[in-house]
Amino acid sequence: MKKIGILGGTFDPFHNGHMSIGEESIKEVGLDLLILLPANVSPFKVNREMELEEHRINMLEKFVSVHPNFKLSKIEIDTDTVSYTYDTMQRLRSIYKNDKLYFICGSDSLMTVDSWYKGKELLKSTAFIVANRPGFSLDSLKSKIQHYEDIYGSEIFLLSNPPLNISSTEIKKKLKYGRSIRDMVPKEIEKYIDEYSLYR
């Protein structure tokens, strides 16, 4: 049985903050594989402008080609409907039947999981890995984790490393004004963004 982490997002673009969470999850939880799951339409970002799907996928393909512990899954991208975490995890379980799956998210997301679509069922059926966000109360997060564990029997692993304070919004702003993003994204992503003049 393999341990597989699932890290979803719009990845617009994928950056060092995402990579750090993924690498730390592999290290701390002992994951055998980390699957990057780009969203087609996130229910929290409907009507928000994003880079072309083709470019978001191509950037991730460049990244996973040189990072063997990471893999790209397009099961959400290949659907034409809004993506819900519970449904996606059910589909992934049907693919990785003999493996243990961990859903990876930030502390801000974890705080509201029980209000998501089938969130309570998700907390009962899925193991979580959580990265605390910069400036987020660690005590509040630990209290919420304890609540989920007590009420739903949830299995939640809290990463110990401080996450990088990087956002896609900040990256796009720098690119718009012609500033370097070298310290914010993997070099494969930086090269692709420069080659196709994205986010200008």
Side-chain angles (χ1 to χ4, degrees):
M1 180 182 73
K2 292 182 179 180
K3 292 183 176 181
I4 301 175
I6 311 298
L7 180 60
T10 50
F11 300 130
D12 188 37
F14 182 84
H15 55 64
N16 287 346
H18 299 129
M19 183 172 68
S20 174
I21 291 172
E23 290 180 335
E24 199 62 28
S25 296
I26 291 170
K27 177 183 174 182
E28 291 192 33
V29 185
L31 300 181
D32 299 291
L33 178 68
L34 194 139
I35 295 177
L36 298 176
L37 194 71
N40 179 5
V41 183
S42 168
F44 302 107
K45 297 184 179 180
V46 174
N47 297 326
R48 177 177 165 181
E49 288 187 13
M50 293 189 294
E51 190 49 75
L52 289 174
E53 179 183 296
E54 175 188 359
H55 288 309
R56 292 192 293 129
I57 292 298
N58 288 344
M59 284 189 280
L60 291 173
E61 287 180 338
K62 294 286 187 183
F63 176 78
V64 300
S65 70
V66 293
H67 292 83
N69 289 332
F70 289 77
K71 178 181 179 179
L72 173 63
S73 170
K74 295 189 280 187
I75 65 168
E76 287 198 349
I77 283 288
D78 290 341
T79 64
D80 295 324
T81 58
V82 170
S83 303
Y84 290 103
T85 302
Y86 178 83
D87 293 340
T88 298
M89 293 304 295
Q90 291 293 92
R91 292 178 65 193
L92 287 168
R93 282 194 193 91
S94 70
I95 298 170
Y96 300 97
K97 296 177 181 177
N98 299 317
D99 301 313
K100 180 163 186 178
L101 304 185
Y102 296 79
F103 181 72
I104 303 170
C105 68
S107 50
D108 50 342
S109 295
L110 186 79
M111 296 295 285
T112 60
V113 169
D114 52 352
S115 67
W116 294 3
Y117 167 76
K118 293 191 176 180
K120 295 177 177 62
E121 290 89 340
L122 185 66
L123 286 162
K124 293 175 183 177
S125 62
T126 302
F128 282 75
I129 298 173
V130 185
N132 195 25
R133 297 290 193 195
F136 201 91
S137 169
L138 186 58
D139 288 339
S140 296
L141 176 58
K142 288 181 176 179
S143 177
K144 193 69 170 182
I145 289 173
Q146 187 65 57
H147 172 74
Y148 287 154
E149 290 174 343
D150 291 343
I151 301 299
Y152 305 111
S154 305
E155 180 181 356
I156 302 174
F157 190 98
L158 176 60
L159 296 177
S160 63
N161 73 312
L164 299 177
N165 192 11
I166 298 175
S167 73
S168 296
T169 300
E170 183 183 2
I171 290 169
K172 292 173 189 176
K173 186 176 180 180
K174 284 196 170 187
L175 287 167
K176 183 178 179 180
Y177 292 102
R179 296 166 62 187
S180 174
I181 58 166
R182 181 161 297 173
D183 296 331
M184 303 176 76
V185 298
K187 60 184 179 181
E188 304 82 26
I189 305 291
E190 181 192 18
K191 183 178 179 181
Y192 187 93
I193 288 173
D194 185 58
E195 182 178 353
Y196 289 93
S197 300
L198 303 184
Y199 309 112
R200 300 302 199 273

